[in-house]
Amino acid sequence: QKTINAREYVQKAAKDHQAKVIALPECWNCPYANSAFPEFAEDLSKMTESSTSAALLSTLAKELNVYLIGGSIPEKEGDKLYNTSLTFGPDGSLLGKYRKMHLFDVNVPG
């Protein structure tokens, strides 16, 4: 369901607002909870071949001829989890991948 919502959001932004750069929110493809990461984490080792979310972002960027910043998705590499952002260009190619530095160990006093 969340991928359907993301697809609709991106298509609407491109069509209704002629957007050339579109950004999705953090964890757009799953519940935003640390406990959800293991269940929803995707393998990004082969990018669009191993991740349905990466494939969707790449396809949408190409279909709509936009730069698409994929918010973030849970990524699993081996036994490690990451909160990873992917950016795709208008040709559908991956332009950048960023992993958050501090995922679960942040302590903000107050």
Side-chain angles (χ1 to χ4, degrees):
Q1 181 63 37
K2 284 193 171 242
T3 57
I4 293 169
N5 293 342
R7 176 184 291 276
E8 290 171 354
Y9 170 82
V10 170
Q11 290 171 331
K12 183 173 177 52
K15 180 182 175 193
D16 294 355
H17 304 287
Q18 292 77 47
K20 293 298 179 194
V21 178
I22 301 170
L24 289 171
E26 189 170 24
C27 295
W28 60 269
N29 68 340
C30 69
Y32 191 80
N34 294 350
S35 60
F37 269 50
E39 178 184 350
F40 289 90
E42 297 184 29
D43 173 12
L44 296 178
S45 63
K46 294 183 180 141
M47 205 50 65
T48 58
E49 296 171 28
S50 60
S51 165
T52 56
S53 295
L56 174 65
L57 296 173
S58 173
T59 299
L60 285 172
K62 187 173 184 176
E63 283 177 3
L64 300 170
N65 193 36
V66 297
Y67 290 91
L68 186 51
I69 303 164
S72 68
I73 62 173
E75 175 190 4
K76 183 173 185 171
E77 184 179 272
D79 61 350
K80 294 185 178 182
L81 295 172
Y82 301 95
N83 189 356
T84 303
S85 181
L86 305 173
T87 300
F88 290 89
D91 63 354
S93 66
L94 178 69
L95 299 178
K97 173 181 169 182
Y98 174 78
R99 289 177 173 165
K100 279 182 111 176
M101 298 291 292
H102 303 287
L103 188 53
F104 303 117
D105 60 348
V106 176
N107 181 13
V108 180

